[in-house]
Amino acid sequence: MYEYDAIVVGAGLSGLRVAIELAEHYEVAVLSKVHPLRSHSVAAQGGINAAMSENDSWESHAFDTVKGSDYLADQDVVEVLTKNAPLAVIENERWGTAFSRTEDGKIAQRPFGGAAFPRTCYAADRTGHNLLHTTYEQALRHGVQFFDEWFVTSLVRQGDRIGGVTALDIATGAIHGFAARAVVIATGGFGRVYGHSTNALINTGDGCAIALRAGVPLKDMEFVQFHPTTLYGSSILITEGARGEGGYLLNKDNERFMKRYAPDKMELAPRDIVARAIRTEVLEGRGFEGQYVHLDLRHLGAEKIKERLPGIREICMHFAGIDPIEEPIPVLPGQHYSMGGIDCNVHGETVLKGLYAVGEAACMSVHGANRLGGNSLLETLVFGRLVGQAVSKYLEAAPKPQAAPVDEAAFTVRQDLQHLLMHDRGETPAQLREIMQHVMDEMVGVFRTKKELETALREIRVVKKRFVNVSLGRSDERFNYALVRTLELRNMLDLAESIILGALSREESRGAHWRLDFPHRDDERFLKHTLITKTDDTFSVSYKDVNLGKFEVKERSY
Ligand SMILES: Cc1cc2nc3c(=O)[nH]c(=O)nc-3n(C[C@H](O)[C@H](O)[C@H](O)COP(=O)(O)OP(=O)(O)OC[C@H]3O[C@@H](n4cnc5c(N)ncnc54)[C@H](O)[C@@H]3O)c2cc1C
């Protein structure tokens, strides 16, 4: 058994930033199922928001975020995010991130959807790549200990507090216990519950699922962000930066259709609105091949495309065989971000003492019903630092965990995995994953109805029953990725059920959750956060108040 003051699960930007903070004073280990530099933060393209220009202010950033969230964000959390934004960007810049620059040497900022000012700082269209490399270097410099390619399988409770985690060492197949006084979950989003997703295959929401199983509620799971522009055919993200640089959306009649949906903001309306607009154009017969619309960058000119959007150009050339300098890009909406996650407060604290959550795995809730582009990288760095500080404070008086419950938990997990490995006949995890993803794509997408959601719930529950007979096909202990994918699938099935239950119960339309049978926002009944709790095998839904503040709840128009 290993023993640390704190364990951080996840080595994306949020996990690394927490670990840097803790490593100053405590023994901290970061466990990650992939090498830290393969964490999904590396794929972030468009940029990170901060009110840095003379005319901009944190209040304006906060207002845009609250309005963008369709008033479901907790305003106290938004205030912390936006006030700390410039500090987060400058800190990372001083650590070594090479941001793109203006002519006079300042950090360049581009406009993003739903923002009153161009406030998205960027490093061409590879912002996440640059930030993650810099932050990883700092974590190494601070002496953080890494367990790369270790898959965390469960949380260990010790009465009303956390006692540690269990983890599979993917290289050897051995299960180990980690005793810790505090555990921080930073495992990112769960986009792979869907088939059409911009997320990496590793974004399976393991941290959310193990928290749910340990009795910690998940919050606002029905709010799944569908990014308006993913590449037709492969679902690869075409950053909002492309519209920020001036790209147009066109239907098959060559019309800039956004004028019907958001006449003031046009292509720079928030994502939920643009995604619905594209879906509506396609459903009403104005899409190409009945499937997609065009994102046209040609008028920006070759120089600008090469300088500001080099990665996007490469993606288009490699994955669609087109050069956006000469041809428009075929795009359609796809799953992109998980607004919901582990229920926690502004310090990352959950209902289980010593268990914290941060980044996309957490729901603090800073994005409410719809996240603005550029606010998520910001969330990882701002709250990475602040949650790290909160954990440090907690550790000052937190008691040492007992070893026995950690050992027992490791023993139980070993038995469970042995059982899975011994099934040599049955359905493959890939078959079941495909069914789950198809159900989510088709029935829990941009537009939803009671009938479809009820069918989706039934079908996911059938898949869960079939999972009992899943067969891995190989039983090697070392580097058994079939086993890892199976554990991920088990986690995702619980999250799929949580998303559908939240969506069925929320009889209104708000932000990214759009019910065709309840097409209006209903503040009287639903200006609330949804909580999903799992006890044994039963899921239950309850609600909790939104923290309102200085921004009055209003109808949203752009
Ligand atoms: C294509 C794309 C582009 C984006 N562009 C932008 C952008 O321009 N601006 C912006 O603000 N946001 C953007 N986002 C969103 C943003 O990148 C993410 O929300 C953010 O990076 C999440 O960081 P994180 O630290 O929470 O998680 P991740 O970076 O996803 O890291 C999760 C970590 O958890 C580990 N992990 C997961 N499960 C386990 C387990 N069972 N055991 C051990 N370890 C585990 C993984 O190995 C990984 O290290 C983008 C998202 C996508 C998909």
Side-chain angles (χ1 to χ4, degrees), residues 10-11 14 32-33 39-41 44-47 152 206 337 360 374 376-377:
S14 56
S32 170
K33 67 179 176 180
S39 300
H40 203 54
S41 294
Q45 299 175 351
V152 173
D206 306 326
Y337 184 83
E360 195 172 338
S376 168
L377 288 178

Side-chain angles (χ1 to χ4, degrees), residues 434-491:
E434 251 172 54
I435 300 172
M436 173 192 72
Q437 291 178 331
H438 180 74
V439 167
M440 297 304 284
D441 282 341
E442 296 301 315
M443 295 177 217
V444 200
V446 174
F447 294 119
R448 300 158 177 196
T449 62
K450 179 173 188 216
K451 196 164 161 239
E452 280 181 336
L453 291 171
E454 281 177 345
T455 311
L457 188 59
R458 255 197 323 275
E459 296 201 6
I460 292 296
R461 285 180 173 162
V462 170
V463 176
K464 284 178 112 169
K465 287 213 177 96
R466 286 166 62 176
F467 182 88
V468 178
N469 289 319
V470 83
S471 159
L472 275 62
R474 59 177 276 233
S475 56
D476 317 13
E477 292 201 326
R478 283 179 279 173
F479 289 109
N480 191 336
Y481 281 102
L483 175 62
V484 172
R485 299 286 99 91
T486 306
L487 297 175
E488 290 173 340
L489 175 63
R490 179 154 69 187
N491 288 338

